[in-house]
Amino acid sequence: MAFTPDIIEQLARARADLRMGVPVVLTGDNAALVLAAETLSPQRLADILALGGAPVLAITARRAETLKARAYDGDLARLKLPEDASLTWVQAIADPADDLRSPMKGPLQSDRDGSALAHRAALALCKSARLLPAAVVLPMDDADSFAARHALTALPLARLADHIASASPLHPIVAARLPMEASEAGRLHIFRPEDGAEEHYAIEIGRPDRSKPVLARLHSACFTGDILGSLKCDCGPQLRGALTQMGAEGAGVLLYLNQEGRGIGLANKMRAYSLQDQGFDTVEANHRLGFEDDERDFRLGADILKSMGFSAVRLLTNNPKKVDMMTTCGITVAERVPLKVGENRHNTAYLATKARKSGHLL
Ligand SMILES: Nc1nc2c(ncn2[C@@H]2O[C@H](COP(=O)(O)OP(=O)(O)OP(=O)(O)O)[C@@H](O)[C@H]2O)c(=O)[nH]1
Ligand SMILES: [Zn+2]
């Protein structure tokens, strides 16, 4: 019988649990109880401390660098949770909002013995749940029975690595005619991933010839720029500029990928904006939060193009990494078409930082 949720379905549950502040259990070798720092409640913190053992707060090496904590595991640090750890302490480690006002959070002691496998999985889970990458992790011997006793989602740790980071297959759900200002011959396609994560969209303009490179754009969602007309970035003008160019040529495809904030989610992007108001640039802000500069996975863009029958594109972008990713994923980039619109006095420094630090072409 196939009623029992498989690993992908369990992962979707785990993401939802962590967002709600419910613990999840990682089972097998190096088993552990995991709670996201961002959604931890005072009661659950007290309960974890009451269990005894040696709970730690796992953070990424990026966050550890800001906190001057030692990251013995390379990509992450395991900070010992003080016996009297308060929720304020946990949240101040996880969230850089008050770093400047209260820079001294130590002494911070990092674990260096034992395995960091559960901690790495916990951080990947937090990221995929679009939460701050910080998790309270308590190693456990009786993980299976603990999960059963408390009706918690249990995930076999050994199988997670293959699934957390891999792009889930996307399926076309529906497509319908959509006349737009840029072109009356528009069509909106909806794609749904198997892992319960966000849907992505393709806007097809005209009837592009599948045997030739199609004018294409991979646009990452930007609620602030696309919808609100924010002047902090160039996304709104790029979105409309790309559609207008496709309308003028009579054919094209724009992928609207729900990877808000270069894949960190809107709440974290707003945390990054708040840090930018404290004087950090767009890349530094991501790092202080514990993220990489860019957490997007462009494989899904390539998958959507292939499923629509496209194998070659003229890619509207200033980002050479998008070109490289498309090529790696088996889409021929016949031409890179620059898309330089929307510069204003508020985003000049942002665009300059992207050029200097992220390799964008000016
Ligand atoms: N984390 C973070 N994300 C941002 C910030 N400003 C804009 N974004 C996001 O950056 C992404 C911009 O996407 P794109 O315009 O597709 O990508 P790009 O890498 O700039 O490349 P091209 O526009 O194709 O040249 C969107 O997801 C925005 O939400 C910021 O300061 N911090
Ligand atoms: Zn934007």
Side-chain angles (χ1 to χ4, degrees):
M1 292 225 279
F3 291 126
T4 311
D6 65 18
I7 180 82
I8 303 288
E9 292 158 343
Q10 290 285 70
L11 264 169
R13 279 188 177 176
R15 280 198 301 271
D17 289 349
L18 292 176
R19 285 186 66 85
M20 297 284 292
V22 177
V24 301
V25 175
L26 306 179
T27 60
D29 289 345
N30 305 302
L33 181 69
V34 171
L35 270 152
E38 181 176 341
T39 51
L40 183 63
S41 69
Q43 185 58 55
R44 285 207 164 104
L45 175 59
D47 289 348
I48 277 225
L49 292 171
L51 282 177
V56 300
L57 181 55
I59 54 173
T60 64
R62 289 286 188 200
R63 182 73 188 125
E65 204 178 309
T66 300
L67 295 168
K68 309 265 183 296
R70 291 192 184 269
Y72 293 116
D73 304 302
D75 56 340
L76 64 88
R78 291 173 277 151
L79 306 181
K80 287 190 200 320
L81 215 61
E83 274 170 32
D84 59 349
S86 67
L87 193 58
T88 313
W89 183 85
V90 171
Q91 287 172 345
I93 299 287
D95 187 341
D98 283 329
D99 278 2
L100 293 190
R101 227 175 310 154
S102 51
M104 292 306 293
K105 301 186 204 302
L108 300 175
Q109 275 196 319
S110 303
D111 267 357
R112 63 188 312 169
D113 298 329
S115 162
L117 271 181
H119 310 76
R120 189 163 292 116
L123 291 176
L125 274 171
C126 288
K127 281 189 183 181
S128 75
R130 303 283 184 257
L131 296 168
L132 284 169
V136 174
V137 179
L138 176 70
M140 296 198 129
D141 290 332
D142 60 341
D144 288 284
S145 66
F146 187 89
R149 217 162 46 245
H150 298 282
L152 299 175
T153 303
L155 298 163
L157 186 53
R159 298 195 52 212
L160 281 191
D162 289 345
H163 295 283
I164 298 184
S166 70
S168 171
L170 284 151
H171 300 288
I173 300 301
V174 61
R177 197 177 66 82
L178 185 74
M180 295 174 296
E181 280 172 10
S183 165
E184 291 189 13
R187 207 172 165 73
L188 177 64
H189 304 250
I190 308 296
F191 290 85
R192 186 175 296 164
E194 281 179 11
D195 64 0
E198 293 95 341
E199 294 176 348
H200 304 284
Y201 320 132
I203 297 131
E204 186 177 8
I205 305 256
R207 282 271 170 268
D209 181 347
R210 265 57 176 173
S211 68
K212 293 196 184 121
V214 60
L215 183 63
R217 166 134 185 96
L218 270 64
H219 185 89
S220 298
C222 178
F223 172 73
T224 46
D226 300 341
I227 311 288
L228 303 180
S230 159
L231 298 175
K232 272 181 71 81
C233 58
D234 54 351
C235 301
Q238 283 191 320
L239 173 62
R240 280 173 282 283
L243 288 174
T244 304
Q245 193 165 336
M246 291 171 192
E249 291 196 15
V253 61
L254 183 138
L255 305 191
Y256 193 93
L257 306 172
N258 277 310
Q259 306 169 313
E260 177 64 64
R262 298 197 295 272
I264 67 176
L266 186 56
N268 286 322
K269 184 173 99 171
M270 289 304 100
R271 293 189 171 108
Y273 274 13
S274 176
L275 294 176
Q276 289 168 32
D277 286 340
Q278 295 179 18
F280 300 105
D281 70 32
T282 181
V283 170
E284 291 163 345
N286 260 39
H287 290 177
R288 292 186 80 87
L289 285 161
F291 292 106
E292 298 305 315
D293 320 7
D294 196 334
E295 296 271 355
R296 289 176 289 183
D297 182 351
F298 286 114
R299 278 175 298 181
L300 52 93
D303 290 348
I304 294 177
L305 286 171
K306 285 181 203 160
S307 103
M308 293 177 76
F310 298 110
S311 56
V313 292
R314 291 164 51 224
L315 195 62
L316 275 158
T317 187
N318 309 320
N319 183 351
K321 285 190 196 124
K322 283 188 185 174
V323 175
D324 293 346
M325 273 305 288
M326 283 299 99
T327 312
T328 310
C329 296
I331 299 282
T332 306
V333 180
E335 184 188 349
R336 182 188 70 84
V337 184
L339 185 59
K340 286 180 191 141
V341 284
E343 184 159 357
N344 66 62
R345 69 188 175 86
H346 298 275
N347 66 17
T348 313
Y350 165 76
L351 295 175
T353 302
K354 289 220 293 190
R356 201 174 67 252
K357 294 190 173 175
S358 308
H360 283 60
L361 301 160
L362 279 175

